[in-house]
Amino acid sequence: MSTSSIRDTTASSSSSTVTSPYPPIIKGASLLIAYRLENRPVLLIGGGAVAAGRLFFLLESGAHVTLVSPRSGLDPSILYRIETSNTSDITYHDRYFLGRSDPLNVSDYAMVLTAIDDNPLSYEVYESCRDERVTVNVADVPPKCDFYFGAQLRQGPLQIMISTGGMGPKIGAMVRDIVRKAIPDNIQEAIQGVGALRTDLRKRAPGVGGDLGKKRMEWMIGICDKWGLGDMAILSKDDIRTKVLDQGWDKGKVVGPSDVGVGGKPKSSDGLVSLLGGGQVVAGASGLLGGLAIGIVGTLIYLRHAR
Ligand SMILES: C[C@@]1(CC(=O)O)c2cc3[nH]c(cc4nc(cc5[nH]c(cc(n2)[C@H]1CCC(=O)O)[C@@](C)(CC(=O)O)[C@@H]5CCC(=O)O)C(CC(=O)O)=C4CCC(=O)O)c(CCC(=O)O)c3CC(=O)O
Ligand SMILES: NC(=O)C1=CN([C@@H]2O[C@H](COP(=O)(O)OP(=O)(O)OC[C@H]3O[C@@H](n4cnc5c(N)ncnc54)[C@H](O)[C@@H]3O)[C@@H](O)[C@H]2O)C=CC1
């Protein structure tokens, strides 16, 4: 991965006077990762607007959510989810959470989230999670968060999260709206096309790692560059993928759309890339501003502290 693909060069050059082939380490960032929560138990405390956002994203990630909040204060979308979701997806307790004396124990959960209007209780939950080494987000106390949520955007398999490191969450949402407009319409199909090609390729050239793994990766990189986001959706078609593998992989060549008789759209490295300043869209960070980070790919967690 090149230096410029990791971090915006304007941001890094201003904070380092030493010339180095490697990016300088600028601390204060969070670790942007795509956290997998499928079938894992998560405790969500609170039932207002903030909890409603949390619940939506947790359900999309496939977590089993235990929600504790009195029915009287529930956001309408939460009521709707409780009534319509599978009982294994949401276990609902119509009551206040009692902190350390609560019958539910934070140590039984992979993650705990509080979104309550009770600051002292939020601290208590945080402390008990710390004691039990359970990852926690406390919506009203950023310094007590192991991770932050961010402004999110999801189009099928594409997932984007934007954070300002806690400084200006509304700005994150505004940047998200700019990014949304810059994403090509057929991005979902493009990802699905490439995903299908990767699967077919692995059937044709199975195995993990080694020289074959390197060869597969180099070939896939060449294919992505050659097809561009504008044409990749065509790879969803079975017959096209077969041609690409027969005429390309099997013969040690990187073939483009015209080689297999399709395409025609101008190759687009797309608006998103130009928006970000040139070829820097990766599952990582792009320091447009001091605290701004954009993570592309997976499920929304932004880890604050290593233990
Ligand atoms: C640290 C963090 C912890 C966390 O929640 O994980 C946090 C903390 C706090 N937010 C507060 C307020 C607001 N938050 C929003 C909106 C969002 N807040 C989100 C994330 C985060 N908020 C994390 C940092 C993210 C980052 O680094 O960028 C978003 C991105 C994602 C989400 O929450 O799902 C979501 C937009 C999603 C979308 O629109 O899609 C708005 C605007 C609005 O509601 O329209 C306001 C009012 C305007 C304002 O205050 O700026 C307050 C109360 C401050 C006070 O009392 O004055 C605190 C506590 C504090 O700062 O002390
Ligand atoms: N991180 C973020 O994005 C934002 C965070 N906040 C902060 O997050 C907190 C929650 O915000 P909102 O959802 O807007 O608040 P809200 O007041 O709409 O909802 C609070 C919810 O918590 C429930 N609750 C209170 N005590 C409880 C307890 N002991 N156990 C279980 N449930 C309990 C209430 O019944 C209600 O459903 C606030 O402290 C606010 O300052 C606010 C806006 C954005």
Side-chain angles (χ1 to χ4, degrees):
M1 191 186 294
S2 71
T3 301
S4 67
S5 72
I6 296 173
R7 199 187 284 277
D8 173 69
T9 45
T10 347
S12 53
S13 60
S14 61
S15 38
S16 169
T17 49
V18 182
T19 307
S20 155
Y22 304 110
I25 304 298
I26 303 168
K27 294 201 174 168
S30 298
L31 182 68
L32 295 183
I33 56 174
Y35 202 87
R36 309 293 296 170
L37 271 177
E38 193 164 11
N39 293 327
R40 303 198 65 200
V42 174
L43 177 61
L44 175 57
I45 304 167
V50 174
R54 306 292 195 248
L55 181 63
F56 175 79
F57 291 117
L58 287 170
L59 292 175
E60 287 218 315
S61 74
H64 293 309
V65 183
T66 296
L67 177 82
V68 186
S69 192
R71 190 173 277 265
S72 57
L74 285 187
D75 183 271
S77 75
I78 296 188
L79 257 183
Y80 173 79
R81 301 285 172 210
I82 290 170
E83 281 159 11
T84 59
S85 301
N86 284 335
T87 46
S88 62
D89 290 340
I90 305 180
T91 305
Y92 174 53
H93 298 267
D94 176 7
R95 61 175 178 79
Y96 285 92
F97 189 77
L98 304 174
R100 285 187 188 273
S101 56
D102 198 274
L104 296 174
N105 193 326
V106 295
S107 65
D108 291 329
Y109 298 89
M111 178 183 285
V112 172
L113 314 173
T114 77
I116 54 179
D117 50 349
D118 181 341
N119 204 246
L121 185 69
S122 287
Y123 271 91
E124 193 177 323
V125 173
Y126 165 77
E127 294 296 344
S128 63
C129 287
R130 256 297 128 99
D131 291 351
E132 302 288 347
R133 295 179 163 263
V134 175
T135 306
V136 63
N137 172 277
V138 186
D140 52 333
V141 195
K144 301 296 183 192
C145 288
D146 287 328
F147 60 91
Y148 295 157
F149 282 80
Q152 292 173 52
L153 167 55
R154 178 151 171 219
Q155 284 182 22
L158 179 71
Q159 297 160 90
I160 299 177
M161 189 191 103
I162 298 169
S163 175
T164 62
M167 277 189 253
K170 177 68 182 167
I171 294 180
M174 292 159 91
V175 172
R176 185 259 325 277
D177 294 341
I178 297 172
V179 172
R180 179 189 281 126
K181 288 184 199 140
I183 294 172
D185 290 341
N186 65 351
I187 191 70
Q188 220 169 299
E189 293 80 6
I191 296 171
Q192 277 152 357
V194 167
L197 182 63
R198 293 181 82 231
T199 304
D200 289 356
L201 174 59
R202 276 172 180 264
K203 282 185 200 143
R204 213 171 268 218
V208 178
D211 287 343
L212 180 64
K214 276 189 200 142
K215 195 178 155 202
R216 259 194 328 242
M217 287 191 277
E218 275 164 20
W219 186 78
M220 276 308 309
I221 291 167
I223 290 286
C224 289
D225 285 340
K226 199 142 195 175
W227 285 68
L229 291 180
D231 282 329
M232 279 172 187
I234 304 169
L235 294 168
S236 300
K237 294 187 181 162
D238 295 351
D239 57 324
I240 301 297
R241 288 199 307 280
T242 305
K243 279 187 194 170
V244 169
L245 290 166
D246 288 351
Q247 295 170 32
W249 174 260
D250 284 359
K251 298 194 169 134
K253 281 199 249 169
V254 171
V255 291
S258 58
D259 300 316
V260 294
V262 292
K265 282 190 198 166
K267 188 184 148 201
S268 122
S269 35
D270 84 80
L272 180 57
V273 171
S274 52
L275 173 82
L276 292 173
Q280 296 168 11
V281 181
V282 290
S286 178
L288 293 175
L289 301 171
L292 184 69
I294 302 182
I296 299 188
V297 171
T299 315
L300 46 118
I301 298 288
Y302 184 27
L303 289 169
R304 292 297 303 171
H305 307 290
R307 276 177 233 252

